[in-house]
Amino acid sequence: MAENSVLSRIQHHPDEGSLTFQGVRYLLIRPETLASVQKQIEAEVGALRAGELLYAGGFTGGQLSGRKYRDAFEFTERQAVEFMCRMGGEIGWGRFRLLELSPEKRLLQVEVDSSPFAVAYGEPTGQAVCHWIRGVLGGLVSGLFSTEVRAAEPLCLAKGDPVCRFVVEGQR
Ligand SMILES: [Zn+2]
C-alpha cells in the first residue's frame, strides 16, 4: 500500500473519542450521510441555493486549512496548494490533480477523480454536486491570496463527465 502521509500521522485520543492531525480535529463520515443532507437541503431550498450553502461550508474549511498548513509547514502558496491536493486524496476526497495555479492570474484549476460526493449522490443529475470540494478550493485560494473568489465546477461525475473539474478565479 502507498504511504499515506496524513493517516500515518493522525492521532487518536480515546478519552475524547477524537482524531487530530496537526492539532486539528477531523472525523470520518460516510459520504451517504452527506449526500442525504445535501438532498434534503436541495428539496427545501432548490439545487442552486443548496449549492451556495454547502459551498460556504467547504469554504470555511479550505480557508482555515490552507492558512494553517502554510504556516505550520512554512509553505509557499504553491506548496500549500500541492499539499492540500495530496491531502485531499489521502483523506478520501478523491484523487486530486493540480492542473494550473497562477498567482498572477489568481487562477486555480484542479481535476478530481472518483469524488465521493458525486459517487454517493448516486442518481445522474443535470448539475455538478461536489459543492464541498468546490468550497474548499475556493476557500483555499481566498485564504492564501486574501482575495474574493468565484469557484465553478464545469465538469462533474454526477453529470456524466469522466472527472470533476474545478476552476477558482480570484478577483483583482
Ligand atoms: Zn463533481
Side-chain angles (χ1 to χ4, degrees):
M1 240 171 20
E3 161 80 4
N4 186 316
S5 68
V6 175
L7 288 193
S8 61
R9 284 178 226 152
I10 292 256
Q11 292 188 308
H12 175 218
H13 312 276
D15 292 349
E16 286 185 347
S18 66
L19 301 174
T20 57
F21 173 70
Q22 294 286 320
V24 177
R25 189 166 181 178
Y26 283 81
L27 84 166
L28 292 168
I29 191 164
R30 288 188 62 134
E32 291 85 352
T33 304
L34 299 173
S36 171
V37 169
Q38 180 165 346
K39 287 178 184 183
Q40 291 178 59
I41 298 174
E42 287 172 354
E44 287 288 326
V45 300
L48 192 67
R49 183 66 184 136
E52 292 170 356
L53 295 170
L54 299 173
Y55 172 84
F59 188 96
T60 302
Q63 197 172 45
L64 288 171
S65 293
R67 286 178 172 161
K68 156 86 186 173
Y69 298 127
R70 177 192 59 192
D71 296 345
F73 299 117
E74 298 184 355
F75 283 153
T76 63
E77 277 78 21
R78 170 168 290 276
Q79 286 171 327
V81 169
E82 288 170 347
F83 174 81
M84 289 285 285
C85 286
R86 189 169 68 246
M87 182 171 179
E90 290 182 343
I91 64 173
W93 283 48
R95 181 170 176 190
F96 284 54
R97 259 189 314 282
L98 176 56
L99 300 181
E100 181 177 9
L101 173 67
S102 166
E104 302 75 38
K105 289 192 273 179
R106 301 233 187 286
L107 178 70
L108 171 67
Q109 292 200 70
V110 171
E111 270 184 3
V112 177
D113 295 328
S114 192
S115 157
F117 307 105
V119 172
Y121 199 87
E123 70 225 47
T125 173
Q127 300 117 52
V129 301
C130 306
H131 307 301
W132 277 294
I133 298 179
R134 186 167 58 87
V136 167
L137 295 173
L140 177 62
V141 170
S142 172
L144 290 177
F145 298 109
S146 299
T147 179
E148 300 280 306
V149 299
R150 280 196 330 217
E153 186 185 5
L155 302 179
C156 184
L157 273 187
K159 292 195 299 178
D161 298 312
V163 295
C164 298
R165 180 179 296 164
F166 302 88
V167 180
V168 183
E169 292 175 274
Q171 315 295 309
R172 287 155 189 269

